[in-house]
Amino acid sequence: MSLDQVQCIDQIIQSRQSIRAYLKTPIDRQIIEDILNVAARAPSGTNTQPWKVYVVTGCKRSELIDRVCQTQTEIFKKPELAQQYQETFVYYPEKWVSPFIERRRENGWGLYGLLGIEKGDKDKMAAQHLRNYQLFDAPVGLFITVDKVMGIGSKMDISMFMQNIMLAAKARGLDTCPQAAWNHFHRIVLEVLDASDQEELVCAIALGYADPDAIVNQFVTPREPAENFAFFLD
Ligand SMILES: Cc1cc2nc3c(=O)[nH]c(=O)nc-3n(C[C@H](O)[C@H](O)[C@H](O)COP(=O)(O)O)c2cc1C
């Protein structure tokens, strides 16, 4: 591999960021198929390739957005309703501890700060949260499911597949945002997608062309250097 290729790959990895405002520009179906074909080169335990992807656009996208936004809006008014919309697998810890809680807060307030949302401004926070369920205006939503028969390891496989999607998209001038937010509404999502009872929603990805003028897209998150998390043993 040449130095140029190494720099190119590093550049794609480093320039990927979660994009939360998109242009309405549609994406050619062929480009999406190319991204999915290349992403499917992801490794998976014993090559099980456990991913299934629903590429949602047009009327289906509108139906999904309408149904979930309506439900989320009802939850804002009556927070006790949230109990009815639990994820199928737990993503985050029940009790947050350091250093994760600090990073999480920095992330949340960094994003809100950029958007001019102050602590306690519940309406603006709710509106920003709702943007998740509008796919941040991305023309394409990728909804990834797994067969319930598969074990927890399949979620590792799907994570690698997702990262490949995001990098292959970036290489084609497209941007993404992985979205676990949809998992709370898995029952609605799977019903609209006409998925079988055997499927579990793992994650969604918003896919589209970034809006270059949207301030939210200027949000670049920090990373710890390797020296803080890697331990070289000899
Ligand atoms: C599995 C997964 C689920 C995520 N879900 C959401 C989500 O629902 N909404 C959102 O705005 N960002 C979501 N994110 C994006 C993270 O907030 C983001 O990756 C993190 O802050 C690092 O920023 P970066 O992606 O710009 O590098 C998710 C990321 C991952 C990996």
Side-chain angles (χ1 to χ4, degrees), residues 75-213:
I75 294 172
F76 288 141
K77 288 184 206 145
K78 272 185 159 190
E80 64 272 21
L81 288 177
Q83 288 168 7
Q84 296 173 28
Y85 299 96
Q86 304 281 340
E87 304 156 291
T88 45
F89 64 95
V90 182
Y91 190 162
Y92 295 116
E94 210 173 297
K95 188 176 178 310
W96 285 90
V97 295
S98 188
F100 313 114
I101 182 73
E102 290 84 2
R103 290 181 193 154
R104 177 176 167 83
R105 284 192 183 130
E106 184 188 358
N107 194 63
W109 290 118
L111 188 65
Y112 285 161
L114 200 57
L115 292 166
I117 303 175
E118 288 172 13
K119 264 187 193 167
D121 196 338
K122 287 188 180 166
D123 287 348
K124 279 192 182 165
M125 281 185 201
Q128 179 55 28
H129 185 61
L130 203 63
R131 296 284 295 141
N132 269 290
Y133 307 116
Q134 295 156 351
L135 286 167
F136 304 112
D137 294 335
V140 179
L142 303 175
F143 290 81
I144 303 165
T145 69
V146 69
D147 193 311
K148 284 179 187 165
V149 83
M150 300 304 280
I152 186 86
S154 292
K155 294 193 172 66
M156 287 202 284
D157 305 334
I158 288 176
S159 306
M160 295 180 208
F161 173 65
M162 285 176 58
Q163 174 74 346
N164 274 357
I165 290 178
M166 295 189 278
L167 298 182
K170 192 77 214 165
R172 289 163 174 79
L174 284 157
D175 277 285
T176 54
C177 184
Q179 293 187 277
W182 289 89
N183 292 6
H184 290 276
F185 300 106
H186 59 97
R187 268 184 280 122
I188 299 174
V189 172
L190 295 174
E191 188 187 314
V192 174
L193 300 181
D194 211 12
S196 79
D197 291 347
Q198 213 25 54
E199 285 170 69
E200 179 185 357
L201 181 64
V202 179
C203 205
I205 302 179
L207 175 69
Y209 294 97
D211 180 348
D213 299 325

